[in-house]
Amino acid sequence: MAKLYFRYGAMNSGKSTGLLQTAHNYEERGQRVLLIKAVVDTKGEDRVVSRLGVSRRVDLLIDADDDLRALVRERALAGAQAVSEGDGGRQEETVSLREVLDCVLIDEAQFLSPLQVDQLMEIALVDDVPVLAYGIRTDFRALSFPGSRRLLEIAHSLEELKTICRCGRKAIFNARKVGESFVFDGDQVAIDSGDITYESLCGKCYLAAGGRLLGQ
């Protein structure tokens, strides 16, 4: 049985790098992958971009109200030969997703809606295609993203990707900076670009920077 995996970590923990390496590993063995990211993630536009400088164009850009399972099937079938020569001319509707796809990879999965996360689970359980989602758990206010919360609730496998704080401790918080100053108010989504940047901090450094815990 295929599974839904959630690999999470603070920013700069190598999530996109890991996703691109996983895609390479599958394809090196002749297997087929589908890369997905949300439209709201404007960094890199239509590409997954690793902080190491490696990038790759995604196969699907999705909006919050898209039917993710339907789009995955449509895209996978469009990239494969739907009717084989020896099956008497099967129609596309009779081709299983597993026949034309070996893995689904999601970058910045925190931007998915809870319903889209449920659709990822259906791809794994009903269509028998493994799904690997990469993302962060919480925003700059230490509050969970809806997509990440749902992944933590239902994913078969949870794996933390680790990185370090400026002090050398394990970083678990994502602090937002405007210019050189930390900020703790504003919209949940503000993509890292221009004056807005992020720094991964441990709990002690996050509090010292002025962050609040438990939504206070």
Side-chain angles (χ1 to χ4, degrees):
M1 180 187 72
K3 295 181 180 180
L4 171 60
Y5 300 82
F6 184 33
R7 295 176 177 173
Y8 64 90
M11 300 185 77
N12 298 313
S13 59
K15 297 181 297 298
S16 295
T17 301
L19 181 151
L20 293 171
Q21 180 65 55
T22 299
H24 172 75
N25 291 346
Y26 269 92
E27 291 176 335
E28 191 176 39
R29 291 159 177 79
Q31 297 180 311
R32 300 145 298 186
V33 301
L34 200 66
L35 271 64
I36 299 172
K37 66 180 274 190
V39 171
V40 69
D41 178 20
T42 56
K43 184 176 182 180
E45 298 179 345
D46 62 348
R47 306 184 73 86
V48 173
V49 180
S50 163
R51 293 181 187 273
L52 294 182
V54 182
S55 70
R56 171 171 169 165
R57 191 181 304 277
V58 300
D59 300 293
L60 281 176
L61 284 171
I62 59 167
D63 285 312
D65 57 352
D66 283 338
D67 184 328
L68 191 47
R69 185 183 176 200
L71 286 178
V72 166
R73 178 176 175 80
E74 179 183 341
R75 180 63 181 82
L77 287 173
Q81 182 177 354
V83 179
S84 63
E85 296 179 358
D87 64 3
R90 289 187 301 163
Q91 299 299 312
E92 287 190 8
E93 290 77 7
T94 67
V95 178
S96 71
L97 187 61
R98 188 66 182 86
E99 291 178 84
V100 295
L101 187 63
D102 294 293
C103 184
V104 174
L105 298 165
I106 317 288
D107 192 41
E108 305 293 0
Q110 69 271 10
F111 296 134
L112 300 179
S113 70
L115 177 58
Q116 287 171 332
V117 173
D118 289 350
Q119 291 163 355
L120 293 181
M121 178 65 88
E122 292 174 357
I123 292 172
L125 294 182
V126 180
D127 299 313
D128 197 30
V129 176
V131 179
L132 283 69
Y134 294 76
I136 59 178
R137 292 184 304 169
T138 58
D139 64 16
F140 69 108
R141 300 164 299 176
L143 300 175
S144 60
F145 286 91
S148 298
R149 183 187 309 122
R150 188 60 176 151
L151 280 162
L152 290 167
E153 290 169 345
I154 69 171
H156 294 96
S157 174
L158 302 173
E159 179 184 350
E160 183 180 18
L161 305 178
K162 300 177 177 62
T163 190
I164 59 172
C165 176
R166 57 170 69 177
C167 69
R169 297 185 182 92
K170 174 183 164 184
I172 58 174
F173 294 101
N174 304 293
R176 180 182 293 173
K177 300 176 77 173
V178 177
E180 296 300 317
S181 301
F182 288 105
V183 296
F184 297 93
D185 293 300
D187 294 336
Q188 184 173 52
V189 178
I191 302 302
D192 183 355
S193 63
D195 285 342
I196 297 177
T197 58
Y198 292 87
E199 183 176 348
S200 302
L201 299 175
C202 69
K204 184 174 182 179
C205 289
Y206 181 82
L207 291 176
R212 300 186 298 269
L213 300 182
L214 301 177
Q216 298 177 358

